[in-house]
Amino acid sequence: MKIQYVPVLSVFCLTLSVKSHGQSKLSDSAEYNKILHLAAQTIQQFIPDKRTAVFEVTRSSDPSPVYHVITTESDAQTLFTQLLVKHPIPHAKVTINLLPDSSVAGKVTGIVNLSVANLRVAPSNQAELATQVLLGTPLDLLQRTDGYYRVRTPEGYIAWVSETSVAPQSVSDLTHWQTGKKVIVTADFGHAYTQPDGQSLRVSDLVMGNILNVLDTAGDFVHVLYPDGRQGFVKSHSVRPFDTWLGTRHISAENVLKIAKSMMGLPYLWGGTSVKGVDCSGFTKTAFYMNGLIIPRDASQQVLAGKPIDILSVDTLDTEKAMQNLKPGDLLFFASGTGRPPDARITHVALYLGNGEFIHAAGRVQINSLLREAPNYGALDTRTLIAARRYIGQTDPALQPLDRHPFYTPKAEIDKK
């Protein structure tokens, strides 16, 4: 994608350029503030969630500052350009870079080649963990810099991942992966070996949800191909043919809660979405993913999807109403603090089990109760239950079946369904 250059120069350029250093600094600051103001207008209209859409403004150093805008949204690019024309800023030079850009060298898709890849909020190993993605997950490659890719996950989350964690793919490579024979790891943990022998050198570890291409079978092993070209042998009992597995996925409370309970005792990990460690929303995400449904990543995003379930009376949890209206598999959402203001920030999510109990990741994956008299009540003494949503049986663009997701299935196949 070409970088759009937007000149916002005026005939006063020469006059202003000979001002004192102090005046130049003041002028640069004023320009920057004006550009930030226009950026704020653009963000308000087209960037509702910075986790799923990007609009960034940076400034190069003096003496001739250039303002660099990076965005994933073409509508935001268009509006910001129009605002610059409508509100000209003398002397300002602005570039607008629409992602994906030329840094990815035409390969706008990649597939994760580690059992669990860490995505961070910035291109640095020291940056905060934002989320994780599993081996075999396709990603949009948006930008490459300093050994990292900025990527978009199947649920739309945008973050940075080390380039060693991802194998870039051409369009034909991705189609081959989508249509090829694959297996999914259904065991909690496993390994791939260099030979069809569990005593041979390991290629990598594996975790539940990993997806690999199949080359052949060899006795009690499946000969697999990694996205980066490595080969290995996986024990047959730890995997299932992907298409067969997907055909058996039915979003029912029993199935979702079966996966959830299989994660009992896993440690809490901020940003975690695998059996190596989960955060609260990574836990719910994994429970649904292993039943063929991709849901939003964070609790504050998950609460916006599905069908609202009434559990409050006068803005207070009505236990009797909750017990009557909730069904197993519903999601419970908690806010920090003890009040329930209309704009309360969602900070935690759990899955309802029934009979007042719920399962969630808090310190570890555990089961607690809404009922004060229950022996397992009180784990959320600093949080407040504020909302509930039902995903099971609901149609919502934010809830995406795996077999209809363009990252996993070619469009031609989706159109047939």
Side-chain angles (χ1 to χ4, degrees):
M1 185 67 64
K2 287 187 176 180
I3 295 177
Q4 179 182 0
Y5 174 68
V6 183
V8 200
L9 300 174
S10 76
V11 295
F12 301 105
C13 178
L14 179 60
T15 303
L16 293 175
S17 67
V18 296
K19 286 185 176 181
S20 69
H21 181 71
Q23 289 174 314
S24 176
K25 286 287 187 181
L26 290 174
S27 175
D28 292 344
S29 177
E31 288 174 356
Y32 192 34
N33 288 335
K34 289 179 181 178
I35 287 174
L36 291 181
H37 177 69
L38 300 182
Q41 294 183 52
T42 305
I43 289 169
Q44 183 177 17
Q45 185 165 344
F46 290 110
I47 314 294
D49 188 337
K50 66 180 182 180
R51 293 165 294 187
T52 58
V54 171
F55 193 94
E56 297 174 351
V57 180
T58 58
R59 178 175 58 174
S60 65
S61 59
D62 292 337
S64 299
V66 177
Y67 303 93
H68 302 282
V69 175
I70 294 174
T71 184
T72 54
E73 310 305 303
S74 59
D75 288 341
Q77 178 193 37
T78 299
L79 175 60
F80 188 70
T81 303
Q82 292 171 346
L83 289 173
L84 287 173
V85 173
K86 186 177 180 180
H87 306 282
I89 304 173
H91 269 300
K93 296 179 181 179
V94 181
T95 66
I96 304 179
N97 189 9
L98 182 64
L99 302 180
D101 65 12
S102 59
S103 65
V104 299
K107 291 190 175 181
V108 296
T109 300
I111 300 179
V112 177
N113 59 23
L114 297 180
S115 64
V116 181
N118 296 322
L119 272 62
R120 302 188 180 276
V121 298
S124 167
N125 280 331
Q126 288 72 46
E128 177 186 333
L129 183 64
T131 189
Q132 294 178 320
V133 283
L134 302 180
L135 173 66
T137 302
L139 304 169
D140 285 336
L141 303 184
L142 304 174
Q143 186 182 9
R144 183 172 180 252
T145 183
D146 298 330
Y148 279 79
Y149 282 109
R150 194 198 295 255
V151 298
R152 182 190 288 112
T153 68
E155 62 270 16
Y157 216 80
I158 297 175
W160 294 89
V161 65
S162 170
E163 63 182 14
T164 59
S165 302
V166 179
Q169 307 287 305
S170 65
V171 174
S172 60
D173 289 337
L174 177 63
T175 301
H176 181 266
W177 181 89
Q178 290 176 326
T179 58
K181 187 177 180 182
K182 299 184 289 293
V183 290
I184 184 168
V185 177
T186 52
D188 287 349
F189 298 97
H191 294 93
Y193 301 91
T194 53
Q195 302 294 330
D197 178 355
Q199 300 303 312
S200 64
L201 189 66
R202 292 173 179 175
V203 178
S204 82
D205 71 316
L206 300 170
V207 301
M208 182 176 70
N210 286 173
I211 301 173
L212 292 155
N213 276 117
V214 174
L215 294 174
D216 203 351
T217 57
D220 294 331
F221 287 80
V222 179
H223 189 189
V224 296
L225 177 69
Y226 285 72
D228 61 0
R230 287 175 295 161
Q231 296 184 23
F233 294 86
V234 181
K235 293 181 179 179
S236 301
H237 65 76
S238 65
V239 299
R240 290 189 65 188
F242 181 74
D243 290 341
T244 301
W245 172 84
L246 195 55
T248 64
R249 299 302 90 190
H250 303 294
I251 305 299
S252 67
E254 180 183 4
N255 291 341
V256 171
L257 295 177
K258 180 179 179 181
I259 294 295
K261 291 176 180 178
S262 76
M263 291 186 277
M264 276 289 290
L266 287 185
Y268 180 92
L269 174 65
W270 176 268
T273 65
S274 79
V275 292
K276 292 184 178 182
V278 289
D279 62 20
C280 63
S281 54
F283 168 68
T284 54
K285 176 184 181 300
T286 300
F288 280 95
Y289 172 77
M290 289 305 296
N291 282 283
L293 189 69
I294 296 174
I295 69 172
R297 170 60 181 91
D298 288 346
S300 59
Q301 297 168 319
Q302 292 176 5
V303 74
L304 302 176
K307 177 184 177 181
I309 305 300
D310 186 13
I311 59 172
L312 306 178
S313 292
V314 195
D315 292 333
T316 301
L317 174 63
D318 185 328
T319 304
E320 184 177 345
K321 180 186 288 186
M323 294 282 286
Q324 180 180 349
N325 292 345
L326 288 171
K327 293 182 179 180
D330 288 345
L331 289 88
L332 306 178
F333 295 93
F334 301 79
S336 58
T338 57
R340 289 183 174 83
D343 59 348
R345 186 171 67 91
I346 299 297
T347 58
H348 191 66
V349 61
L351 283 170
Y352 188 64
L353 293 171
N355 299 318
E357 289 192 321
F358 57 91
I359 184 170
H360 62 139
R364 65 181 186 277
V365 176
Q366 58 183 293
I367 294 174
N368 290 106
S369 177
L370 301 174
L371 307 179
R372 291 183 179 274
E373 64 272 17
N376 55 349
Y377 173 78
L380 295 177
D381 54 359
T382 61
R383 300 183 179 124
T384 302
L385 180 58
I386 195 172
R389 293 291 187 274
R390 180 166 299 148
Y391 286 2
I392 297 170
Q394 306 303 309
T395 300
D396 188 315
L399 308 175
Q400 306 173 74
L402 205 60
D403 63 352
R404 295 177 181 271
H405 196 290
F407 277 40
Y408 294 87
T409 306
K411 185 178 183 301
E413 294 297 320
I414 295 174
D415 291 342
K416 293 178 183 178
K417 297 178 179 180

PDB file of all heavy atoms in Angstrom, residues 179-196:
ATOM      1  N   THR A 179      -7.702 -25.404   2.478  1.00  0.00           N
ATOM      2  CA  THR A 179      -8.343 -26.545   1.817  1.00  0.00           C
ATOM      3  C   THR A 179      -7.634 -27.862   2.075  1.00  0.00           C
ATOM      4  O   THR A 179      -8.170 -28.929   1.771  1.00  0.00           O
ATOM      5  CB  THR A 179      -8.412 -26.307   0.300  1.00  0.00           C
ATOM      6  OG1 THR A 179      -7.083 -26.098  -0.206  1.00  0.00           O
ATOM      7  CG2 THR A 179      -9.263 -25.083  -0.024  1.00  0.00           C
ATOM      8  N   GLY A 180      -6.442 -27.803   2.636  1.00  0.00           N
ATOM      9  CA  GLY A 180      -5.661 -29.022   2.856  1.00  0.00           C
ATOM     10  C   GLY A 180      -6.164 -29.838   4.036  1.00  0.00           C
ATOM     11  O   GLY A 180      -6.942 -29.374   4.863  1.00  0.00           O
ATOM     12  N   LYS A 181      -5.697 -31.051   4.104  1.00  0.00           N
ATOM     13  CA  LYS A 181      -6.043 -31.949   5.192  1.00  0.00           C
ATOM     14  C   LYS A 181      -5.303 -31.518   6.452  1.00  0.00           C
ATOM     15  O   LYS A 181      -4.080 -31.322   6.436  1.00  0.00           O
ATOM     16  CB  LYS A 181      -5.667 -33.381   4.811  1.00  0.00           C
ATOM     17  CG  LYS A 181      -6.132 -34.439   5.789  1.00  0.00           C
ATOM     18  CD  LYS A 181      -5.766 -35.827   5.270  1.00  0.00           C
ATOM     19  CE  LYS A 181      -6.220 -36.923   6.244  1.00  0.00           C
ATOM     20  NZ  LYS A 181      -5.815 -38.269   5.753  1.00  0.00           N
ATOM     21  N   LYS A 182      -6.026 -31.366   7.540  1.00  0.00           N
ATOM     22  CA  LYS A 182      -5.429 -30.867   8.777  1.00  0.00           C
ATOM     23  C   LYS A 182      -5.886 -31.710   9.972  1.00  0.00           C
ATOM     24  O   LYS A 182      -6.877 -32.437   9.891  1.00  0.00           O
ATOM     25  CB  LYS A 182      -5.825 -29.404   9.014  1.00  0.00           C
ATOM     26  CG  LYS A 182      -5.369 -28.448   7.922  1.00  0.00           C
ATOM     27  CD  LYS A 182      -5.691 -27.005   8.254  1.00  0.00           C
ATOM     28  CE  LYS A 182      -7.180 -26.717   8.165  1.00  0.00           C
ATOM     29  NZ  LYS A 182      -7.690 -26.801   6.802  1.00  0.00           N
ATOM     30  N   VAL A 183      -5.138 -31.557  11.062  1.00  0.00           N
ATOM     31  CA  VAL A 183      -5.562 -32.128  12.343  1.00  0.00           C
ATOM     32  C   VAL A 183      -5.562 -31.015  13.379  1.00  0.00           C
ATOM     33  O   VAL A 183      -4.831 -30.024  13.257  1.00  0.00           O
ATOM     34  CB  VAL A 183      -4.640 -33.277  12.820  1.00  0.00           C
ATOM     35  CG1 VAL A 183      -4.808 -34.505  11.966  1.00  0.00           C
ATOM     36  CG2 VAL A 183      -3.183 -32.820  12.889  1.00  0.00           C
ATOM     37  N   ILE A 184      -6.391 -31.186  14.407  1.00  0.00           N
ATOM     38  CA  ILE A 184      -6.400 -30.273  15.544  1.00  0.00           C
ATOM     39  C   ILE A 184      -6.052 -31.057  16.802  1.00  0.00           C
ATOM     40  O   ILE A 184      -6.493 -32.207  16.974  1.00  0.00           O
ATOM     41  CB  ILE A 184      -7.769 -29.569  15.692  1.00  0.00           C
ATOM     42  CG1 ILE A 184      -7.717 -28.537  16.845  1.00  0.00           C
ATOM     43  CG2 ILE A 184      -8.899 -30.567  15.900  1.00  0.00           C
ATOM     44  CD1 ILE A 184      -8.905 -27.599  16.879  1.00  0.00           C
ATOM     45  N   VAL A 185      -5.236 -30.462  17.630  1.00  0.00           N
ATOM     46  CA  VAL A 185      -4.853 -31.112  18.891  1.00  0.00           C
ATOM     47  C   VAL A 185      -6.019 -31.008  19.863  1.00  0.00           C
ATOM     48  O   VAL A 185      -6.500 -29.907  20.155  1.00  0.00           O
ATOM     49  CB  VAL A 185      -3.591 -30.451  19.481  1.00  0.00           C
ATOM     50  CG1 VAL A 185      -3.236 -31.089  20.825  1.00  0.00           C
ATOM     51  CG2 VAL A 185      -2.422 -30.579  18.508  1.00  0.00           C
ATOM     52  N   THR A 186      -6.481 -32.130  20.355  1.00  0.00           N
ATOM     53  CA  THR A 186      -7.596 -32.153  21.306  1.00  0.00           C
ATOM     54  C   THR A 186      -7.142 -32.542  22.708  1.00  0.00           C
ATOM     55  O   THR A 186      -7.885 -32.357  23.673  1.00  0.00           O
ATOM     56  CB  THR A 186      -8.695 -33.122  20.833  1.00  0.00           C
ATOM     57  OG1 THR A 186      -8.114 -34.398  20.549  1.00  0.00           O
ATOM     58  CG2 THR A 186      -9.366 -32.589  19.577  1.00  0.00           C
ATOM     59  N   ALA A 187      -5.930 -33.086  22.832  1.00  0.00           N
ATOM     60  CA  ALA A 187      -5.361 -33.348  24.149  1.00  0.00           C
ATOM     61  C   ALA A 187      -4.927 -32.029  24.771  1.00  0.00           C
ATOM     62  O   ALA A 187      -4.654 -31.054  24.062  1.00  0.00           O
ATOM     63  CB  ALA A 187      -4.161 -34.289  24.026  1.00  0.00           C
ATOM     64  N   ASP A 188      -4.855 -31.985  26.093  1.00  0.00           N
ATOM     65  CA  ASP A 188      -4.402 -30.754  26.744  1.00  0.00           C
ATOM     66  C   ASP A 188      -3.005 -30.363  26.276  1.00  0.00           C
ATOM     67  O   ASP A 188      -2.755 -29.207  25.937  1.00  0.00           O
ATOM     68  CB  ASP A 188      -4.387 -30.929  28.271  1.00  0.00           C
ATOM     69  CG  ASP A 188      -5.779 -30.955  28.865  1.00  0.00           C
ATOM     70  OD1 ASP A 188      -6.742 -30.630  28.145  1.00  0.00           O
ATOM     71  OD2 ASP A 188      -5.904 -31.299  30.046  1.00  0.00           O
ATOM     72  N   PHE A 189      -2.097 -31.340  26.272  1.00  0.00           N
ATOM     73  CA  PHE A 189      -0.714 -31.094  25.887  1.00  0.00           C
ATOM     74  C   PHE A 189      -0.217 -32.251  25.023  1.00  0.00           C
ATOM     75  O   PHE A 189      -0.759 -33.353  25.058  1.00  0.00           O
ATOM     76  CB  PHE A 189       0.190 -30.972  27.124  1.00  0.00           C
ATOM     77  CG  PHE A 189      -0.149 -29.828  28.025  1.00  0.00           C
ATOM     78  CD1 PHE A 189      -0.943 -30.027  29.148  1.00  0.00           C
ATOM     79  CD2 PHE A 189       0.313 -28.552  27.757  1.00  0.00           C
ATOM     80  CE1 PHE A 189      -1.265 -28.980  29.989  1.00  0.00           C
ATOM     81  CE2 PHE A 189      -0.006 -27.489  28.584  1.00  0.00           C
ATOM     82  CZ  PHE A 189      -0.792 -27.695  29.705  1.00  0.00           C
ATOM     83  N   GLY A 190       0.814 -31.985  24.263  1.00  0.00           N
ATOM     84  CA  GLY A 190       1.411 -33.029  23.438  1.00  0.00           C
ATOM     85  C   GLY A 190       2.737 -32.551  22.870  1.00  0.00           C
ATOM     86  O   GLY A 190       3.223 -31.461  23.207  1.00  0.00           O
ATOM     87  N   HIS A 191       3.316 -33.368  21.995  1.00  0.00           N
ATOM     88  CA  HIS A 191       4.574 -33.023  21.339  1.00  0.00           C
ATOM     89  C   HIS A 191       4.571 -33.549  19.912  1.00  0.00           C
ATOM     90  O   HIS A 191       3.878 -34.517  19.602  1.00  0.00           O
ATOM     91  CB  HIS A 191       5.777 -33.620  22.084  1.00  0.00           C
ATOM     92  CG  HIS A 191       5.980 -33.056  23.448  1.00  0.00           C
ATOM     93  ND1 HIS A 191       5.437 -33.641  24.577  1.00  0.00           N
ATOM     94  CD2 HIS A 191       6.643 -31.951  23.867  1.00  0.00           C
ATOM     95  CE1 HIS A 191       5.761 -32.913  25.642  1.00  0.00           C
ATOM     96  NE2 HIS A 191       6.495 -31.891  25.234  1.00  0.00           N
ATOM     97  N   ALA A 192       5.348 -32.906  19.087  1.00  0.00           N
ATOM     98  CA  ALA A 192       5.666 -33.437  17.767  1.00  0.00           C
ATOM     99  C   ALA A 192       7.118 -33.891  17.795  1.00  0.00           C
ATOM    100  O   ALA A 192       7.972 -33.230  18.405  1.00  0.00           O
ATOM    101  CB  ALA A 192       5.469 -32.375  16.694  1.00  0.00           C
ATOM    102  N   TYR A 193       7.387 -35.026  17.154  1.00  0.00           N
ATOM    103  CA  TYR A 193       8.713 -35.638  17.189  1.00  0.00           C
ATOM    104  C   TYR A 193       9.313 -35.693  15.787  1.00  0.00           C
ATOM    105  O   TYR A 193       8.589 -35.657  14.780  1.00  0.00           O
ATOM    106  CB  TYR A 193       8.621 -37.052  17.759  1.00  0.00           C
ATOM    107  CG  TYR A 193       8.041 -37.115  19.153  1.00  0.00           C
ATOM    108  CD1 TYR A 193       6.662 -37.290  19.341  1.00  0.00           C
ATOM    109  CD2 TYR A 193       8.844 -36.995  20.280  1.00  0.00           C
ATOM    110  CE1 TYR A 193       6.120 -37.347  20.620  1.00  0.00           C
ATOM    111  CE2 TYR A 193       8.311 -37.050  21.561  1.00  0.00           C
ATOM    112  CZ  TYR A 193       6.944 -37.219  21.730  1.00  0.00           C
ATOM    113  OH  TYR A 193       6.406 -37.271  22.989  1.00  0.00           O
ATOM    114  N   THR A 194      10.622 -35.800  15.734  1.00  0.00           N
ATOM    115  CA  THR A 194      11.300 -35.861  14.441  1.00  0.00           C
ATOM    116  C   THR A 194      11.085 -37.188  13.737  1.00  0.00           C
ATOM    117  O   THR A 194      11.233 -37.284  12.511  1.00  0.00           O
ATOM    118  CB  THR A 194      12.806 -35.623  14.616  1.00  0.00           C
ATOM    119  OG1 THR A 194      13.310 -36.533  15.602  1.00  0.00           O
ATOM    120  CG2 THR A 194      13.078 -34.194  15.062  1.00  0.00           C
ATOM    121  N   GLN A 195      10.742 -38.225  14.494  1.00  0.00           N
ATOM    122  CA  GLN A 195      10.479 -39.554  13.945  1.00  0.00           C
ATOM    123  C   GLN A 195       9.182 -40.095  14.571  1.00  0.00           C
ATOM    124  O   GLN A 195       8.739 -39.596  15.598  1.00  0.00           O
ATOM    125  CB  GLN A 195      11.642 -40.510  14.260  1.00  0.00           C
ATOM    126  CG  GLN A 195      12.991 -40.054  13.726  1.00  0.00           C
ATOM    127  CD  GLN A 195      13.054 -40.040  12.212  1.00  0.00           C
ATOM    128  OE1 GLN A 195      12.381 -40.842  11.547  1.00  0.00           O
ATOM    129  NE2 GLN A 195      13.842 -39.134  11.660  1.00  0.00           N
ATOM    130  N   PRO A 196       8.571 -41.120  13.952  1.00  0.00           N
ATOM    131  CA  PRO A 196       7.378 -41.705  14.562  1.00  0.00           C
ATOM    132  C   PRO A 196       7.752 -42.557  15.767  1.00  0.00           C
ATOM    133  O   PRO A 196       7.515 -43.769  15.818  1.00  0.00           O
ATOM    134  CB  PRO A 196       6.781 -42.543  13.418  1.00  0.00           C
ATOM    135  CG  PRO A 196       7.931 -42.872  12.537  1.00  0.00           C
ATOM    136  CD  PRO A 196       8.845 -41.691  12.612  1.00  0.00           C
TER     137      PRO A 196
END
